[in-house]
Amino acid sequence: MPPGDFSNQFDFPAINMAAAHNMFIQGVNAMATHAPYVTDKKVQPFMLFCLTVLGNIHHHHRIEETFYFEALEKKLGEGYLTESKDEHETFVPQIEATESWLEDVRDGKTKYLGSTLLAQINSWADDMVHHLNHEIEKLDRNKIKECFTEKELKAIDSEFMKVALKDANFYTSLPMVLICGNPATPWRVFLSFSNGNMNLSNGCVYLRFPPFPLPLIWAIRYWYSRRHREAWEFGPLDLNGKVKPLPSSPK
């Protein structure tokens, strides 16, 4: 996680981006962790879990490429984030190949094998993590502060959230956000319950990624997650943010 203060608008872009990336890594780690232990009965919900993790990664990249990078480059300079965009091509085609295999399993065209899924993940995971780490370096707080005002950054972030929610599937993408967070991130700190960017859970108040309003968090937990509840069993966290035990019964 980048250094700085999550509430500082100039630190926010790098920390917020790292939190999103961490969510994707958590999801992929969960795919790899559960892969050898999935029983025949659980194959279908596991396929939905995996496809949602990868779908969220694609969704993030689409927003970067169609909105976020352009918004930042207006001040950072044209082409400043071209390298980050180009790096998507070092692993996205391999992710798409994995998605195709997962869809074939889902549709009954091929048999599920945990070893095959692990091999698929290993074909692109290192390149993905390298990209995710490298991208954060481009959002250095000093560079951001040099080019933007706080008001400009808040406007970009607000628009980013609108774009993100506009075509998000509330029954799949949003539950995935809750179950693939990382409770160890250093910006989850105790604060007073006076800021709309905070959440109350288990008697503790902490900064949250993404900064969904509380009514939406509750709606995800108690309504939107119900349709595919079996799929969310594979997340590293439960819907309340508690860390779940590792699988222990091999197929």
Side-chain angles (χ1 to χ4, degrees):
M1 186 65 67
D5 181 352
F6 190 71
S7 62
N8 183 305
Q9 203 63 46
F10 302 111
D11 294 338
F12 180 85
I15 296 176
N16 194 55
M17 183 72 77
H21 291 177
N22 197 13
M23 180 178 67
F24 304 143
I25 294 171
Q26 290 275 101
V28 173
N29 281 344
M31 289 170 59
T33 299
H34 284 279
Y37 305 111
V38 177
T39 62
D40 291 340
K41 183 180 178 181
K42 295 291 187 179
V43 165
Q44 285 303 319
F46 186 56
M47 292 303 96
L48 178 60
F49 173 82
C50 294
L51 286 167
T52 303
V53 169
L54 301 185
N56 276 11
I57 294 172
H58 288 316
H59 182 254
H60 178 77
H61 287 161
R62 282 196 300 273
I63 298 172
E64 286 183 331
E65 294 181 1
T66 61
F67 167 72
Y68 193 58
F69 286 172
E70 181 180 349
L72 292 180
E73 284 186 345
K74 287 179 181 179
K75 289 295 189 74
L76 293 173
E78 184 177 355
Y80 181 80
L81 291 162
T82 296
E83 186 177 12
S84 290
K85 184 176 180 179
D86 290 346
E87 284 178 354
H88 291 169
E89 295 307 310
T90 66
F91 61 93
V92 168
Q94 292 90 330
I95 289 181
E96 290 172 343
T98 299
E99 285 179 301
S100 180
W101 181 82
L102 292 167
E103 289 166 352
D104 284 347
V105 173
R106 179 197 62 192
D107 297 340
K109 296 178 181 179
T110 192
K111 182 176 175 58
Y112 174 75
L113 290 173
S115 58
T116 301
L117 179 56
L118 285 172
Q120 293 267 359
I121 293 171
N122 286 332
S123 73
W124 48 261
D126 286 347
D127 288 333
M128 183 190 78
V129 172
H130 170 77
H131 160 72
L132 297 180
N133 289 331
H134 187 218
E135 191 167 70
I136 301 303
E137 297 172 8
K138 306 292 283 186
L139 301 176
D140 174 74
R141 74 176 311 277
N142 293 321
K143 181 71 174 178
I144 294 294
K145 189 172 185 178
E146 176 185 314
C147 299
F148 292 94
T149 65
E150 291 190 14
K151 183 178 180 179
E152 289 169 335
L153 291 171
K154 288 178 180 178
I156 291 172
D157 183 63
S158 177
E159 186 63 24
F160 185 101
M161 188 59 64
K162 291 178 183 177
V163 173
L165 289 175
K166 184 178 180 180
D167 62 349
N169 186 324
F170 280 34
Y171 293 96
T172 55
S173 296
L174 297 194
M176 186 65 62
V177 170
L178 296 191
I179 65 171
C180 288
N182 184 347
T185 47
W187 44 268
R188 290 182 177 239
V189 294
F190 291 97
L191 294 165
S192 63
F193 191 63
S194 59
N195 187 320
N197 192 40
M198 299 176 190
N199 181 27
L200 183 62
S201 177
N202 301 322
C204 299
V205 178
Y206 55 88
L207 287 168
R208 182 182 66 243
F209 173 86
F212 291 157
L214 274 175
L216 178 56
I217 291 288
W218 291 333
I220 297 168
R221 282 179 180 162
Y222 302 117
W223 180 255
Y224 293 115
S225 63
R226 295 172 62 184
R227 181 176 295 181
H228 305 294
R229 185 168 294 276
E230 280 191 293
W232 316 139
E233 294 175 7
F234 299 100
L237 308 177
D238 65 20
L239 289 161
N240 292 309
K242 293 181 180 179
V243 178
K244 299 180 69 173
L246 295 173
S248 58
S249 300
K251 185 176 178 180

